[in-house]
């Protein structure tokens, strides 16, 4: 049977029916032009203490300085600005462990659009409140990212909302990749990047940009031992389901999707290695950030620092650590900084 597609005269035609599944440097350059002025151009600052420890120049890319306290604004802003007018007007919907939901809510408010954020009951209360205070509708569903995602799919069909995926989307990956362009601008001699790794949007975007502009640079993903979905997928050679566990790096929780279209192949092909960390090692990263760098950093944001402290990444040459977010519960942060490991 031949299916003849109706001609789409409006905004629907702006996105190809078969979405592209890969991302290249030109996509990231387009994203950078689109989001300039709407997201922060974050600083890359030297870390004397980590440089001493490693015997290499170590720099911190402070995505904690984004208005929502995490890099996810880059991908969400780029994906929403890439939509046609009709898709935007229907309202945005996403599932999120927190920072992506916050990014979509912030983007919606900036652009005058509606947003519904679906999340599991495991998401910390401070993150839920932050999203509510940005004016988005919050729906709490189930106990896993998969339950929240099922609700997104239901709302897309039932109410016609426009989904903004947290990582497995070319426009989201291209938005996160703008970090890679800034790294090369600020540190042309870049030799190694340590990147927090969950669904892989951040790592894939940075890897595409950095490997295109400086092929000799190594990109190392860093995850927690408790439920490292991308590491398990790369080891298995295909996306696999992992059990979601509580971790200090809560923003790294959740699977990569068994039907992953974009980030799995890019991470498999472009990452030079993946490091896994214990909860105590992640806690040490959060403590170091607070005591030595004067930065409030959440568990997921501290894993690059933690990998260096644990001696699990031995970079050669100028190194950049992506400090991806700062959204940690105050009480948890105080407890960790005063010496606790969980
Ligand atoms: C989402 C997130 C990550 C991981 O990004 P992925 O694109 O899912 O790999 C890392 N750190 C923070 C703070 C995050 O919010």
């Amino acid at each position: 049977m031949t299916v003849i597609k109706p001609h789409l005269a409006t905004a629907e035609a702006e996105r190809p029916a078969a979405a592209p599944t890969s991302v290249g440097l030109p996509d990231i350059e387009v994203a950078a032009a689109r989001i300039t002025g709407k997201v922060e151009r974050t600083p890359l600052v030297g870390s004397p203490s980590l440089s001493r420890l490693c015997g290499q120049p170590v720099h911190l890319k402070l995505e904690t300085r984004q208005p929502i306290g995490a890099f996810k604004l880059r991908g969400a802003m780029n994906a929403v600005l890439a939509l046609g007018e009709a898709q935007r007007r229907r309202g945005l919907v996403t599932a999120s462990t927190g920072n992506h939901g916050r990014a979509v809510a912030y983007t919606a408010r900036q652009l005058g659009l509606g947003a519904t954020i679906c999340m599991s009951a495991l998401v910390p209360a401070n993150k839920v409140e932050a999203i509510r205070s940005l004016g988005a509708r919050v729906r709490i569903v189930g106990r896993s990212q998969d339950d929240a995602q099922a609700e997104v799919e239901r709302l897309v069909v039932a109410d016609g909302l426009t989904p903004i995926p947290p990582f497995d989307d070319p426009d989201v990956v291209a938005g996160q990749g703008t970090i890679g362009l800034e790294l090369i601008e600020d540190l042309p001699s870049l030799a190694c990047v340590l990147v927090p790794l969950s669904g892989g949007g951040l790592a894939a975007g940075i890897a595409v940009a950095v490997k295109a502009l400086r092929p000799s640079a190594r990109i190392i993903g860093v995850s927690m031992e408790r439920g490292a979905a991308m590491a398990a997928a790369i080891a298995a050679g295909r996306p696999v389901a992992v059990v979601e566990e509580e971790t200090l790096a809560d923003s790294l929780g959740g699977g990569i999707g068994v039907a992953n279209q974009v980030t799995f192949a890019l991470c498999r092909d472009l990452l030079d290695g993946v490091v896994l960390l214990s909860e105590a090692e992640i806690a040490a990263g959060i403590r170091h950030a607070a005591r030595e760098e004067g930065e409030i950093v959440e568990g997921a944001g501290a894993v690059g620092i933690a990998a260096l402290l644990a001696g699990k990444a031995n970079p050669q040459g100028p190194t950049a650590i992506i400090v991806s977010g700062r959204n940690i519960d105050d009480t948890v942060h105080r407890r960790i900084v005063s010496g606790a490991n969980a």
Side-chain angles (χ1 to χ4, degrees), residues 46-47 50-52 54-59 187 189 192 315-320:
S47 166
L50 292 172
S51 300
R52 250 190 328 272
C54 298
Q56 312 286 340
V58 176
H59 305 262
L187 188 63
S189 61
C192 181
Q316 302 297 317
T319 296

Side-chain angles (χ1 to χ4, degrees), residues 63-64 68-72 96-100 127 166-168 172-173 176 195-205 222-223 230 249-253 255-256 263 267 297-303 322-327:
E63 288 298 304
T64 48
I68 60 149
F71 73 92
K72 285 221 172 58
S96 174
T97 56
N99 287 330
H100 176 66
K127 296 196 171 185
F167 53 85
D168 198 31
V172 171
V173 171
Q176 321 305 26
V195 192
L197 176 63
S198 177
L202 178 64
V222 190
S223 299
M230 185 61 81
D250 55 279
S251 292
L252 301 184
I256 68 165
T263 60
C267 288
V297 177
E298 62 176 283
V303 296
I322 310 302
V323 182
S324 54
R326 56 163 289 137
N327 296 321

Side-chain angles (χ1 to χ4, degrees), residues 155-240:
L155 290 172
V156 168
V157 174
D159 297 354
L161 303 186
T162 299
I164 305 295
F167 53 85
D168 198 31
D169 176 279
D171 293 315
V172 171
V173 171
Q176 321 305 26
T178 59
I179 294 172
L181 300 183
E182 294 173 17
L183 289 178
I184 300 291
E185 270 171 31
D186 291 352
L187 188 63
S189 61
L190 184 67
C192 181
V193 188
L194 300 179
V195 192
L197 176 63
S198 177
L202 178 64
I206 290 175
V208 168
V210 169
K211 295 271 181 184
L213 296 167
R214 189 160 168 84
S216 64
R218 291 166 52 78
I219 315 285
I220 309 293
V222 190
S223 299
M224 65 291 176
E225 288 168 354
R226 291 191 176 175
M230 185 61 81
I234 292 172
R238 62 185 166 82
V240 288

Side-chain angles (χ1 to χ4, degrees), residues 284-298:
I286 295 172
R287 259 193 304 279
H288 175 97
R291 292 179 183 169
E292 303 291 330
E293 316 290 347
E295 296 288 334
I296 297 171
V297 177
E298 62 176 283

